[in-house]
Amino acid sequence: MAAKQPPPLMKKHSQTDLVSRLKTRKILGVGGEDDDGEIHRSKISQVLGNEIKFAVREPLGLRVWQLVSAVMFSGVAIMALAFPDQLYDTIFEEEAASSKTPIRLYGGALLS
């Protein structure tokens, strides 16, 4: 017996078929409203969430603390790089260190 040949494959133009597009978007969960009433335009936005929720202004105290700590770290780092002996004397209240390299490496780490 000879096997029947399958019919030739026909391409479906789903871009023009509105019902097919609607079904595809419904299967993917795109375009519908969620429990919060948000309409997602893509699956990625569903996974990542809405970025408007994260656009919150930080408190002024946090910004001030970030500025103060950055200035303090930078000041100590510059002092460690430029004047390692004075920094060592200030912190340990002892004689000068035998080598300036560790103090300068510490300053470089703080500055970075």
Side-chain angles (χ1 to χ4, degrees):
M1 278 189 164
K4 282 187 170 181
Q5 293 289 337
L9 296 176
M10 297 180 66
K11 290 185 179 180
K12 184 176 179 183
H13 299 286
S14 62
Q15 292 177 346
T16 58
D17 187 8
L18 294 178
V19 175
S20 175
R21 286 177 63 192
L22 181 63
K23 286 180 183 177
T24 304
R25 291 178 67 81
K26 193 168 189 176
I27 289 171
L28 291 174
V30 176
E33 290 187 18
D34 63 359
D35 296 337
D36 298 331
E38 296 177 1
I39 298 175
H40 297 285
R41 303 211 182 277
S42 69
K43 199 66 174 176
I44 294 173
S45 69
Q46 285 182 347
V47 172
L48 295 178
N50 193 353
E51 70 273 359
I52 295 174
K53 296 176 188 173
F54 303 111
V56 179
R57 283 187 54 132
E58 287 119 8
L60 181 63
L62 177 64
R63 290 288 185 184
V64 170
W65 170 250
Q66 288 174 341
L67 178 68
V68 167
S69 63
V71 168
M72 284 177 33
F73 278 113
S74 299
V76 171
I78 291 171
M79 187 174 171
L81 289 171
F83 311 108
D85 292 331
Q86 285 80 5
L87 181 67
Y88 189 84
D89 291 340
T90 305
I91 293 176
F92 295 111
E93 298 175 355
E94 295 177 5
E95 298 175 6
S98 59
S99 176
K100 297 178 184 180
T101 305
I103 299 169
R104 288 198 170 142
L105 287 173
Y106 172 72
L110 274 181
L111 196 58
S112 67

